[in-house]
């Protein structure tokens, strides 16, 4: 067996059964939902998270990126600036086009990807979109770890990341960082098997962060 065949067989060893993935996702989402309910964490969080979620919800309803929330926030910032001379309140969430319409500042990929979730289930759908991103990130991390250590050690590492890091907090943010990291880690994990797809995912991750 040559080196290429040996490497391919090693990669196939870490194939995860679909049933196990579905069960893990259901348990993961249930645990996060119970955590959010018990602690009263709002979704989306105020600020950029809310702005992005409003943009996605608007796109899901109307296929327009010009969310009413952007106009509301723009008016509020103008009022605050007028009420406090010498202080200029600004934002880093949206921009104004030459036609006077408002657009999300970060790339449009997130509103487009999240639109089906928002169309079907509204705010709950957008929350599930975030959980899908985080779960795929963890699965990709497991695949990468399993290339270097045993499957059991890889599972322990992923559990520690899922429970002992800031991921539970990010599960209640609707943000481009979550999708960007999911695409990046997923692209790295896929690259040995599907180099073109893996490279494209990494490129999309970089585009989202621009």
């Amino acid at each position: 067996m040559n080196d290429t065949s040996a490497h391919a067989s090693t990669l196939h060893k870490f194939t995860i059964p679909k049933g196990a993935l579905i069960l893990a996702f259901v348990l993961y989402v249930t645990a996060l939902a119970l955590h959010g309910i018990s602690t009263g964490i709002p979704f989306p969080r105020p600020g950029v998270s809310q702005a992005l979620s409003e943009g996605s919800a608007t796109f899901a309803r109307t296929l327009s990126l010009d969310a009413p929330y952007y106009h509301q926030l723009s008016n509020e910032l103008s009022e605050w600036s007028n009420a406090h001379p010498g202080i200029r309140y600004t934002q880093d969430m949206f921009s104004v086009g030459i036609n006077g319409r408002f657009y999300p500042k970060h790339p449009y990929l997130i509103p487009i990807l999240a639109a089906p979730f928002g169309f079907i289930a509204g705010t709950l759908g957008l929350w599930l979109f975030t959980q899908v991103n985080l779960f795929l990130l963890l699965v990709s991390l497991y695949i990468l770890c399993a290339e270097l250590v045993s499957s059991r050690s890889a599972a322990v590492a992923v559990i520690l990341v899922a429970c002992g890091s800031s991921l539970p907090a990010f599960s209640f943010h609707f943000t481009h960082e979550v999708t960007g990291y999911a695409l990046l880690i997923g692209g790295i994990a896929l690259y040995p098997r599907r180099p073109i797809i893996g490279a494209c995912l990494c490129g999309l991750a970089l585009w989202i962060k621009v």
Side-chain angles (χ1 to χ4, degrees):
M1 181 181 294
N2 58 35
D3 293 340
T4 303
S5 299
H7 185 58
S9 64
T10 301
L11 293 177
H12 285 299
K13 183 175 68 174
F14 300 116
T15 301
I16 306 173
K18 293 181 180 179
L21 278 177
I22 295 173
L23 177 61
F25 178 71
V26 171
L27 293 175
Y28 176 75
V29 171
T30 301
L32 287 175
L34 293 175
H35 172 67
I37 294 172
S38 63
T39 57
I41 300 177
F43 178 87
R45 295 290 185 87
V48 176
S49 179
Q50 183 177 359
L52 283 173
S53 66
E54 291 286 348
S56 295
T58 299
F59 186 80
R61 294 192 304 266
T62 66
L63 296 182
S64 172
L65 293 168
D66 188 10
Y69 176 77
Y70 300 155
H71 295 268
Q72 174 187 338
L73 183 57
S74 178
N75 293 333
E76 290 178 353
L77 292 174
S78 297
E79 292 174 0
W80 295 343
S81 298
N82 294 333
H84 301 87
I87 301 177
R88 183 66 179 173
Y89 291 89
T90 59
Q91 51 76 36
D92 191 35
M93 306 173 193
F94 56 84
S95 58
V96 183
I98 58 176
N99 55 1
R101 301 182 66 184
F102 289 82
Y103 298 93
K105 180 178 178 293
H106 294 284
Y108 304 154
L109 183 62
I110 295 178
I112 293 173
L113 290 177
F117 293 81
F119 179 78
I120 294 172
T123 301
L124 176 61
L126 297 181
W127 181 78
L128 287 174
F129 172 77
T130 299
Q131 310 325 306
V132 169
N133 279 274
L134 289 173
F135 183 74
L136 292 178
L137 189 156
L138 292 173
V139 171
S140 301
L141 183 61
Y142 171 81
I143 294 173
L144 289 174
C145 291
E147 299 279 352
L148 305 173
V149 297
S150 67
S151 298
R152 181 175 298 179
S153 297
V156 171
V158 169
I159 291 173
L160 289 175
V161 171
C163 301
S165 68
S166 60
L167 283 187
F170 268 98
S171 67
F172 294 92
H173 285 268
F174 190 82
T175 172
H176 57 282
E177 274 91 354
V178 171
T179 304
Y181 290 137
L183 288 171
L184 179 62
I185 303 301
I188 295 173
L190 273 177
Y191 188 79
R193 301 164 178 76
R194 300 286 188 270
I196 295 179
I197 297 176
C200 288
L201 292 180
C202 290
L204 288 175
L206 294 175
W207 180 53
I208 283 180
K209 292 293 292 181
V210 172

